[in-house]
Amino acid sequence: MNPLVSVIMPVHNCEKYIVDSINSILNQTYRNLELIIVDTGSEDKTIELINGIKDERMKVIRAASGKGLTHAFFQGFKASSGEFVTRQDPDDLSTENRVRTQVRYLQANSDTGMVSCLIKCITDVEKFRKACLFIERLQNNYRDSEIIEKAILEDFIPILFPTLLIRRNLIEKAGIKEEPEGFDDQVDILLRLLQLSKVEKIQKILYAYRRHDNAYHFINQDQEYSNAKKLIATSGIKNHLKYRGYFVEGPKNVKAPTGKEYLRVLMLVDALNIGGTETHVLNLAKELMELGVYVVVGTSGGPLTSLFEINGIKIYNVPLYSDYISNKNLYSCIKSIKDIVDEEKIDLIHAHLFAAMSIASEVNKRYKVPYITTIHGLFYPNDILLTSCYNTDAIIAVSRPTARMIYTRMGEQIKNKLYVVPNGVDIDGEIDVSNARKIREDLNIKRDDIVVTYCSRLAWQKTIAAESFIFGFYKLANDYSNIHAIVIGDGDGKKILEREASMLNKCAEREVLHFVGPKYNVLDYYAASDIVVGTGRVALEAMSCAKPVIAVGNDGYVGIVNDESRMLQWRTYFGDHKSLKSPDLVSIYEDMKYLVEDADERVEIGRWGRQWCREMFSIDNIARRTFSIYRRAVDNRPGTENVPQS
């Protein structure tokens, strides 16, 4: 079967190379193709030369002049019919077997949406020969999807768009902006395609990329670089590549306002990345909506976006791309927020994290929209706190150490508007036990084996705790033959930790340490575990699953969470905001060994932890306390709690 392939060729004043470029397509060994040429107002002999070529597979379209490359591609795509689509530039060449080779690859790899190839960089201009050699070597150095994605994470795109053969349905899903903003080289559609599918490179030179004085990317090379870097930063591609496993497919169930809401709240979050703050915002928003509060979220996006939408929460895109917003971008951010406030008739803004706090504070000062913020830890710099918190109607601290930090830095003037409200967890959510069983089966862990799970962001500043866990667990694995560890998380320290775990698995002569990367269904992993090691939200969620917890966090080690240590755990926020000592493998080993050896103690601590969560950290209670703070802020009064009954 030879499906139709559509080759789209935008052209503009390219008489020197156009005939060779067209013939390189028409002379393909793969014959079932159509060549759609889109002319954007050529004034030289380009059209005359095109008309001199007779082939029934060729179609010529006249597009508006000055509309650009993407507009021309859009017009060509509308006129095309192929199952597979590619763009060829009119000064480039395809080898005679290019289309056949790429079609066969996509037919043999149904899970791949597009495929690229190696290139040869050609020129007939002496001054470009060295540059061509560099471009060729650079592009051909990135040979598979893993290396390509790593390059994009480092702000470089090692794929030339015309080298791609793409499934039509993938382009339709990604969408083509008929008139893109900024520099027009189709990087935006490439990044959207990469969010939908990995890309591989066939290890053959199938495309000749030409450099010359009038080449589009030579003339605009400075714009090309800055535009690509900007799009990588703002498109969300890095989150998609880092946290692909978190993106959940499901029907969007965004709830419309009923007009009977108690309050209308805009939650501002810098990005919906993987972390305790973002997960708390999701659970809080869901519970507030159950209480009759209408909630929308303003954010730059991220891997948890789909979970918010599936759970009925409307998302607005706001350009909160960095912790510190430049003066250049400040006005557009303020305007975006004000537009949301006006459209949704917002009563109050609730900001989380740095950029969100800065913008909410500015909107509050200019438009008097009530504004509160939650401070999620000790990591807030002084300038953010001082400039963003003086004008707040209320400040929520998630722990006692956080509240002390705020009070110490800001003084008496914020005392009457400072509240301590911890992050909440859903105690009554159902957990599918079959998912927990499948996790064990997939990791080749027997039903009666003991599983210890460690969950954390594996960033450099947290690798000390992770390494202490890994080596402490390895010592434990020498004592028991039926024990496994699961490590959940991602970050720039993950690779070195994986190498250490691989070495320890070899020493143990069995796979006892399992790195599973980031997971959105962490509760299933806790359910599959006998013991959980972690801090902050990890500790809360594990206790909600009735699992015993060993608290080790960003600040240090606190130990087993039980009735005797609960006030210590709360005062240190499970080692995330304060601790007893630095994490060390001996302490972790001894506490794990204690719990491994006493199954009844594990069960008893798990039951106690779940009950403590219900009393102190349940999301319904946290949402009610938050609602009370909202009412006071909107009414501008200290007042008594006035919480609606669900």
Side-chain angles (χ1 to χ4, degrees), residues 593-611:
K593 186 177 179 67
Y594 171 77
L595 292 173
V596 165
E597 290 183 342
D598 195 333
D600 291 338
E601 183 73 353
R602 291 200 305 271
V603 172
E604 183 58 34
I605 291 176
R607 287 174 180 165
W608 169 85
R610 181 173 169 82
Q611 182 56 35

Side-chain angles (χ1 to χ4, degrees), residues 67 95 107-108 238 293 328 372 390 409 424 463 483 536 548-549:
K67 289 283 190 176
T95 66
Q107 287 179 320
K238 290 187 177 182
V293 178
K328 181 180 178 181
I372 75 168
Y390 277 123
R409 294 190 193 180
T463 53
I483 192 166
V549 172

Side-chain angles (χ1 to χ4, degrees), residues 512-525:
V512 294
L513 284 154
H514 308 268
F515 273 71
V516 297
K519 297 293 177 182
Y520 72 89
N521 58 330
V522 288
L523 295 183
D524 293 333
Y525 280 83

Side-chain angles (χ1 to χ4, degrees), residues 57-163:
R57 296 172 299 167
M58 192 169 73
K59 180 191 301 184
V60 180
I61 297 173
R62 297 295 182 92
S65 178
K67 289 283 190 176
L69 180 65
T70 299
H71 176 78
F73 184 74
F74 175 80
Q75 298 299 329
F77 184 74
K78 282 199 306 182
S80 69
S81 306
E83 181 179 336
F84 301 108
V85 178
T86 187
R87 186 194 97 207
Q88 175 154 312
D89 289 339
D91 49 1
D92 294 344
L93 303 170
S94 289
T95 66
E96 63 178 3
N97 287 319
R98 178 209 169 176
V99 174
R100 181 181 298 280
T101 304
Q102 289 186 308
V103 167
R104 285 180 174 175
Y105 184 93
L106 291 179
Q107 287 179 320
N109 297 273
S110 59
D111 59 337
T112 302
M114 53 186 169
V115 64
S116 181
C117 61
L118 304 185
I119 69 159
K120 183 174 182 62
C121 191
I122 60 175
T123 185
D124 50 9
V125 182
E126 181 63 32
K127 68 179 180 180
F128 291 123
R129 297 203 184 280
K130 287 185 178 179
C132 273
L133 184 61
F134 174 76
I135 292 168
E136 185 176 312
R137 288 178 175 174
L138 182 64
Q139 285 287 327
N140 292 347
N141 184 55
Y142 297 88
R143 290 176 167 257
D144 59 47
S145 61
E146 183 177 349
I147 296 173
I148 290 168
E149 291 180 1
K150 184 178 179 182
I152 293 171
L153 292 174
E154 296 172 353
D155 294 332
F156 174 65
I157 302 176
I159 306 163
L160 300 178
F161 189 82
T163 65

